[in-house]
Amino acid sequence: ATRTKTADVERADSGIGQMPARKWRNRASETLSSLQAWEAHRPCTDCGERDLPVETDVQNCNQRRADLCEKCHKRRTERKESVLEFVNTEASYGEDLRIIKEEFYLPMQAAGLLSQEQLQGIFSNIQELIDLNENFLEILQEEIDQAFDQGDVDLMTVCIGEIFLEFVNMLPAFQTYCLQQSSSVNMLNALEKEKELLRIFLNVSQNDNTALRRMNLRSFLMAPLQRVTKYPLLLSRIIKATTEYHPDHGSLREAKSRIESHLEHINMKTKQEGNTWTLRSFRQDSKKKREVINIEMRETALKTVGWLREETRFVMEGSLQLAQPPDGQWVKKGSKTLKFQNMQVLLLVNMKRVSESSLESAEPGPVKDAVLVLIRDKNNGKFHLLREPLRLSNCIVSTDPDCDDTFELIEIRREAFVFRDSDRARTHHWFRQIRRYSRELGSWKKRRNALPNIMISTPHTRP
């Protein structure tokens, strides 16, 4: 028989023998077990804990996020439900506002059931609330849609707190409506007794109009009050389900604090006007109390200057010490010779909006006007102006190296004021902000670079 060469023989085994093959399989099995154990105890992406349970059911494993622990998965689910509840209830509230306008206000106006003054007394600023709701809801819905389009099924990229703070100007609109609610209901009751056609219209609408869900006009008029008191509850649910490391966590807390402060302010104003009803009250703390005071000062300042709220920016506000030197030699004598009094000061800037979108209004437009409003400390429960607002277009602001704890504001052909804060750094911050907006106003200052040591000989007419 012819012997076959070794090279011509085709081997059928692995070439490593039985014993090495067994060891290799054991090692591969151990490695697979180690990988599975690491996979089961990998850190959670939200909390960083290594307590992920081993999933034996493939379907359950696919349903649950592979990189989240059970606790964080549950929290994300709760947060998503809370965010969707916030948006859905905002949409329902908007629908009630549209019913008030389309099923009550417009038909009553077209039929001549009430005069325009009576309609205004009953429905107050309902159109303003409708416009704010539509803009707010549009931005919220865009954020939800964008999150789903990007594969964010848990809506973790949706920042309700940031959006709410962008629309914080809607809170004064709620305040206007709430403060007129008592008189609106009283007027409606009186007119319903007086006008038979109005009474018939309201009864027929409630019973036959399916869009009203068998609810009367008074129930719908309560919708803004119910909505504004529900905001803190909805925000609290989102905060509870949002980890402190989430970028929206701080904004959510600030938004909740702002709305609670406005509710307390509304209750305070209601009490001052002698009404017995109040909105849902919240626990007072020093921070909310300060914010209520700030809200009242802003209202006083805005009413004084007469600007549109959406075009007004409150740059700075707070307590400053104010002195009025009798002559210009106070720098040589030192600020200690001046008699200072505590004053609440607000720096308001009237900005021309670049866009109609509320979110884009963060981009500052050209400065139309800027004023300093000086308010005496609260006396007898009310704020009082020290004088008419100081228009920065008529003022020069300057500082002197010899008195770096103060700055001076000179109103052309009128008065001089010296300001300081208890904190020197904050004094400098006030000075920089006032000088910044002062330089943008007044054609005569633009020609002379707003220098403080200039002589003005031409008569100047105050606006």
Side-chain angles (χ1 to χ4, degrees):
T2 306
R3 296 177 60 87
T4 305
K5 294 182 180 181
T6 306
D8 297 335
V9 177
E10 182 178 357
R11 301 195 58 142
D13 61 357
S14 61
I16 58 176
Q18 269 190 340
M19 290 299 294
R22 189 179 298 114
K23 292 181 179 178
W24 178 265
R25 286 195 296 270
N26 291 338
R27 184 173 298 176
S29 178
E30 292 175 359
T31 303
L32 181 60
S33 299
S34 299
L35 289 174
Q36 290 176 345
W38 179 88
E39 181 71 14
H41 297 282
R42 66 195 180 282
C44 172
T45 56
D46 279 7
C47 66
E49 298 293 333
R50 294 178 175 270
D51 59 350
L52 301 185
V54 179
E55 289 286 354
T56 56
D57 190 343
V58 177
Q59 184 177 1
N60 291 338
C61 183
N62 292 334
Q63 290 177 352
R64 191 173 62 82
R65 298 289 172 271
D67 53 355
L68 293 174
C69 66
E70 191 66 31
K71 181 179 178 181
C72 290
H73 171 65
K74 183 179 179 181
R75 178 186 293 172
R76 283 199 178 192
T77 302
E78 292 175 352
R79 185 181 188 279
K80 177 181 179 180
E81 292 175 353
S82 300
V83 169
L84 291 177
E85 181 186 12
F86 189 99
V87 178
N88 292 336
T89 52
E90 186 70 22
S92 299
Y93 159 67
E95 184 61 29
D96 287 344
L97 292 181
R98 283 184 286 276
I99 288 177
I100 294 175
K101 178 182 178 181
E102 296 173 4
E103 305 297 336
F104 290 105
Y105 180 89
L106 293 179
M108 291 164 67
Q109 184 185 46
L113 296 178
L114 297 177
S115 65
Q116 191 61 38
E117 183 179 357
Q118 291 169 335
L119 290 171
Q120 178 66 29
I122 293 175
F123 296 97
S124 186
N125 61 330
I126 195 70
Q127 184 60 51
E128 182 183 11
L129 294 176
I130 292 175
D131 296 339
L132 288 168
N133 167 261
E134 289 178 350
N135 295 334
F136 188 36
L137 186 61
E138 181 182 0
I139 298 300
L140 288 172
Q141 196 60 56
E142 286 180 359
E143 289 291 314
I144 297 293
D145 295 341
Q146 184 177 359
F148 281 131
D149 292 343
Q150 294 176 350
D152 179 17
V153 295
D154 292 326
L155 304 181
M156 295 299 291
T157 57
V158 177
C159 295
I160 296 292
E162 292 183 4
I163 300 174
F164 193 94
L165 291 177
E166 291 289 346
F167 283 87
V168 75
N169 278 341
M170 67 182 176
L171 298 181
F174 277 107
Q175 175 178 317
T176 301
Y177 186 90
C178 292
L179 292 179
Q180 295 182 10
Q181 178 63 19
S182 180
S183 60
S184 297
V185 173
N186 291 336
M187 178 180 290
L188 178 61
N189 293 337
L191 290 173
E192 192 174 5
K193 293 179 181 179
E194 177 184 341
K195 296 178 178 293
E196 183 179 2
L197 289 179
L198 175 64
R199 185 168 60 253
I200 294 174
F201 168 77
L202 294 177
N203 289 334
V204 171
S205 298
Q206 180 180 355
N207 296 325
D208 298 343
N209 192 339
T210 57
L212 303 187
R213 310 187 299 274
R214 309 285 292 185
M215 295 169 57
N216 57 27
L217 175 57
R218 294 174 186 80
S219 300
F220 282 101
L221 291 177
M222 291 296 293
L225 280 74
Q226 296 168 348
R227 184 58 185 172
V228 73
T229 54
K230 197 171 182 179
Y231 279 135
L233 304 177
L234 296 171
L235 292 172
S236 295
R237 293 177 189 174
I238 301 176
I239 292 172
K240 185 178 179 181
T242 302
T243 176
E244 59 181 340
Y245 304 109
H246 193 280
D248 195 39
H249 190 268
S251 298
L252 284 167
R253 288 192 172 277
E254 183 181 355
K256 180 174 177 288
S257 178
R258 294 285 290 273
I259 181 62
E260 289 179 354
S261 298
H262 269 274
L263 292 177
E264 291 294 344
H265 179 64
I266 292 173
N267 286 337
M268 181 190 68
K269 298 286 286 186
T270 302
K271 196 173 183 181
Q272 290 176 355
E273 295 181 4
N275 295 325
T276 57
W277 67 271
T278 57
L279 298 175
R280 181 180 182 271
S281 61
F282 296 87
R283 183 175 56 86
Q284 276 274 22
D285 55 32
S286 57
K287 182 179 179 181
K288 290 186 178 63
K289 189 174 181 180
R290 289 195 301 270
E291 181 62 25
V292 169
I293 294 175
N294 291 340
I295 294 171
E296 193 171 355
M297 286 196 304
R298 291 176 205 140
E299 285 189 347
T300 301
L302 200 59
K303 184 178 180 180
T304 302
V305 297
W307 297 344
L308 295 176
R309 189 182 301 275
E310 58 270 20
E311 294 185 356
T312 303
R313 180 182 172 194
F314 293 89
V315 180
M316 289 192 70
E317 56 190 27
S319 178
L320 282 178
Q321 294 180 346
L322 167 67
Q324 292 184 265
D327 53 46
Q329 303 298 319
W330 68 271
V331 176
K332 295 180 180 180
K333 300 175 184 177
S335 59
K336 294 182 180 179
T337 61
L338 299 177
K339 185 177 179 181
F340 287 90
Q341 58 178 324
N342 292 326
M343 194 69 52
Q344 298 294 332
V345 182
L346 294 91
L347 173 57
L348 281 70
V349 177
N350 194 344
M351 310 286 289
K352 185 177 181 181
R353 290 188 298 173
V354 177
S355 171
E356 292 297 325
S357 173
S358 297
L359 288 180
E360 295 179 6
S361 61
E363 291 295 329
V367 178
K368 295 163 54 177
D369 203 353
V371 298
L372 273 185
V373 179
L374 309 179
I375 302 178
R376 291 192 183 96
D377 282 340
K378 202 168 185 179
N379 186 21
N380 296 328
K382 294 183 179 180
F383 287 108
H384 298 280
L385 295 177
L386 174 69
R387 64 185 307 283
E388 62 183 11
L390 292 169
R391 297 194 175 274
L392 298 189
S393 58
N394 301 333
C395 299
I396 295 175
V397 58
S398 62
T399 186
D400 194 285
D402 296 332
C403 295
D404 61 348
D405 62 336
T406 62
F407 65 90
E408 186 176 23
L409 189 142
I410 302 175
E411 189 180 20
I412 298 302
R413 306 179 69 86
R414 289 281 312 261
E415 302 171 272
F417 302 87
V418 178
F419 294 94
R420 72 180 181 187
D421 194 279
S422 55
D423 179 48
R424 183 169 300 186
R426 187 160 176 81
T427 300
H428 294 166
H429 185 54
W430 271 99
F431 166 70
R432 288 192 297 269
Q433 290 292 333
I434 295 175
R435 182 179 60 177
R436 171 191 171 189
Y437 292 104
S438 174
R439 284 179 170 176
E440 297 187 29
L441 299 169
S443 57
W444 58 276
K445 282 189 293 186
K446 293 179 182 179
R447 293 196 303 270
R448 302 171 183 269
N449 199 24
L451 295 175
N453 56 343
I454 61 176
M455 299 296 293
I456 303 296
S457 57
T458 57
H460 183 71
T461 303
R462 292 178 56 80

